[in-house]
Amino acid sequence: MCEIRMTERTRVKRGRKIASYDREVVNNVIDESWVCNIGVSVEGEAMVQPSSHWRIGNEIYLHGSVKNGLFQTVMKGQTACITLCLLDGLVFSRSAYHHSVNFRSVVIYGKGRLVEDPEEKRAALDALIDKYSPGRSAEARPPNEKEMKVTAVFAFSIDEVSAKVRTGGPNEEPEDLELDVWAGVKPVTSVIGELIPD
Amino acid sequence: MCEIRMTERTRVKRGRKIASYDREVVNNVIDESWVCNIGVSVEGEAMVQPSSHWRIGNEIYLHGSVKNGLFQTVMKGQTACITLCLLDGLVFSRSAYHHSVNFRSVVIYGKGRLVEDPEEKRAALDALIDKYSPGRSAEARPPNEKEMKVTAVFAFSIDEVSAKVRTGGPNEEPEDLELDVWAGVKPVTSVIGELIPD
């Protein structure tokens, strides 16, 4: 997939060596994670909320109550900032300073498009349910008119976006390598367990 | 521990039934998670970044490069919004609408206090290293003057804060209970693996 065009806002200033503008990297982080954070500015201060999300093509989708205050700011046309981060490991260095985490993060800037067309909205919500379990949207009882009405769905283009990916072992100062301090990586994984039936 | 005083900003408007203002709930989410998100407002739009964090008493700490743009906004005295979210389960309902996630989330509003006193700063950074592994700060090579100088440490009071906690099985409309659709919870856990030595 093609590289993403960088803007001043998405140009990674700190940690440039681990920056990525690769669509596949970005999409994998979005698809693999269940919670993003979305921020808007309200009266000169940020308001940030965790939210579920899903992806269709080149758009990331969020949904919530039509009465949600943050979404009302999105609806007014303000550019939002959406972040995602997957933790992959704890990195233990021989020096305190070089302790770190392995991670894959994504930061997206974009205006939300309110999905209003009933068919498109239904298809979008089906895609969320299919993220839970492929094919699930054809099994579960479909949303009724009232449920559709109280749910707002927003799509954000994944265009003004940057990623950061840290992998591998600890960074070390050459003189620290001889220290008698254990070092390495403890991998971190998110595990989805077996269904506990209702 | 005492209940937290609610402000208009931290009064949970959507999902009131799962709101919590209990310090122990808040502190557990902070201590158990490795990544938070911090947002500030820049020229009328939110800028949000994932960040490591740790806690000492009633303050949450973040650190980063002194050149970090977001932290420079914090340093100017703007109230930041810090969020944390632990995913505990995927909730499968018989209806598409009631699919959900079990989670514990925290939203904190606060101004960052730049930790400048060298002893306090060193103790704060030691607490971060000890979060990686208890006692680690006494084993790893301590930060030198240059490493201390390029690292900014901020403390935010955990006072203007709210939490949300969803647990348990799916919500169902009574008429859906007879549907032939599987339902229940798939627990999600974050697992820290064994050290892969460097």
Side-chain angles (χ1 to χ4, degrees):
Chain A
M1 277 180 270
C2 59
E3 285 247 328
I4 293 159
R5 192 179 54 84
M6 195 186 300
T7 67
E8 176 54 26
R9 199 153 45 177
T10 58
R11 184 174 59 82
V12 172
K13 286 108 196 162
R14 315 303 316 161
R16 277 179 223 181
K17 286 180 199 162
I18 61 170
S20 166
Y21 297 88
D22 184 301
R23 279 207 181 280
E24 197 170 347
V25 169
V26 168
N27 288 348
N28 284 347
V29 172
I30 295 172
D31 295 349
E32 206 178 304
S33 55
W34 284 89
V35 179
C36 71
N37 275 268
I38 177 165
V40 295
S41 174
V42 177
E43 294 173 12
E45 290 175 352
M47 175 194 278
V48 188
Q49 286 174 10
S51 174
S52 295
H53 69 273
W54 67 105
R55 184 178 68 85
I56 303 174
N58 195 38
E59 291 181 307
I60 182 169
Y61 286 74
L62 276 74
H63 77 317
S65 162
V66 290
K67 293 183 182 166
N68 178 298
L70 192 152
F71 283 150
Q72 285 174 2
T73 302
V74 170
M75 224 173 312
K76 285 178 190 154
Q78 187 186 112
T79 297
C81 183
I82 298 172
T83 62
L84 306 101
C85 189
L86 292 166
L87 180 67
D88 292 325
L90 305 181
V91 181
F92 294 80
S93 160
R94 291 161 183 86
S95 63
Y97 180 72
H98 284 298
H99 279 67
S100 187
V101 292
N102 283 338
F103 67 96
R104 287 165 288 156
S105 69
V106 165
V107 177
I108 303 165
Y109 287 96
K111 291 183 195 298
R113 177 175 68 82
L114 182 67
V115 178
E116 293 184 283
D117 176 78
E119 275 183 46
E120 189 196 358
K121 187 174 175 181
R122 176 65 197 282
L125 290 168
D126 281 356
L128 168 60
I129 301 305
D130 289 335
K131 181 180 178 181
Y132 277 75
S133 179
R136 178 79 176 166
S137 67
E139 295 165 8
R141 193 261 295 156
N144 60 34
E145 207 173 319
K146 188 189 152 206
E147 290 167 346
M148 290 291 280
K149 205 174 160 184
V150 298
T151 308
V153 175
F154 291 96
F156 299 80
S157 284
I158 309 168
D159 282 322
E160 192 172 353
V161 58
S162 62
K164 279 189 183 179
V165 179
R166 194 206 187 277
T167 58
N171 297 333
E172 298 285 10
E173 302 301 324
E175 62 270 27
D176 291 335
L177 286 167
E178 286 162 44
L179 295 175
D180 183 24
V181 180
W182 60 268
V185 175
K186 289 187 183 179
V188 179
T189 44
S190 180
V191 179
I192 300 178
E194 291 297 307
L195 182 79
I196 301 166
D198 179 43
Chain B
M1 277 178 271
C2 60
E3 286 247 328
I4 292 159
R5 192 179 55 86
M6 197 186 299
T7 68
E8 176 54 25
R9 198 154 46 178
T10 58
R11 185 174 59 82
V12 172
K13 287 108 199 164
R14 316 306 313 164
R16 278 178 224 181
K17 286 179 199 165
I18 60 170
S20 166
Y21 298 88
D22 184 299
R23 280 206 182 279
E24 196 169 347
V25 170
V26 168
N27 288 348
N28 284 347
V29 172
I30 295 171
D31 295 349
E32 209 181 301
S33 55
W34 284 89
V35 178
C36 71
N37 275 266
I38 176 165
V40 295
S41 175
V42 177
E43 294 172 14
E45 290 175 350
M47 174 194 277
V48 188
Q49 286 175 10
S51 173
S52 296
H53 68 274
W54 67 105
R55 184 178 69 85
I56 303 174
N58 196 38
E59 292 181 306
I60 181 170
Y61 286 74
L62 277 73
H63 77 317
S65 162
V66 289
K67 293 184 181 168
N68 180 298
L70 192 153
F71 284 149
Q72 284 173 4
T73 301
V74 171
M75 224 173 312
K76 284 176 190 155
Q78 187 186 112
T79 297
C81 183
I82 298 171
T83 63
L84 306 100
C85 189
L86 291 166
L87 179 67
D88 292 326
L90 305 182
V91 181
F92 294 80
S93 160
R94 290 160 182 85
S95 64
Y97 180 73
H98 284 298
H99 279 66
S100 188
V101 291
N102 283 337
F103 67 95
R104 287 166 286 158
S105 70
V106 165
V107 176
I108 304 165
Y109 286 97
K111 292 184 194 294
R113 177 176 67 83
L114 182 66
V115 178
E116 293 184 283
D117 176 78
E119 273 182 47
E120 188 195 0
K121 186 174 177 182
R122 176 63 197 283
L125 290 169
D126 281 355
L128 168 59
I129 300 305
D130 288 335
K131 182 180 179 182
Y132 277 75
S133 180
R136 178 79 177 167
S137 68
E139 294 164 8
R141 192 262 296 158
N144 59 35
E145 207 174 320
K146 189 189 153 206
E147 290 167 346
M148 290 291 280
K149 204 175 161 185
V150 297
T151 307
V153 175
F154 290 96
F156 299 80
S157 281
I158 308 167
D159 283 322
E160 193 173 353
V161 59
S162 62
K164 279 189 181 178
V165 179
R166 193 206 186 277
T167 56
N171 297 333
E172 299 284 10
E173 302 300 325
E175 62 271 26
D176 291 335
L177 286 168
E178 288 163 42
L179 295 176
D180 182 24
V181 180
W182 60 268
V185 175
K186 290 187 183 177
V188 179
T189 42
S190 181
V191 179
I192 300 177
E194 290 297 306
L195 183 79
I196 301 166
D198 179 44

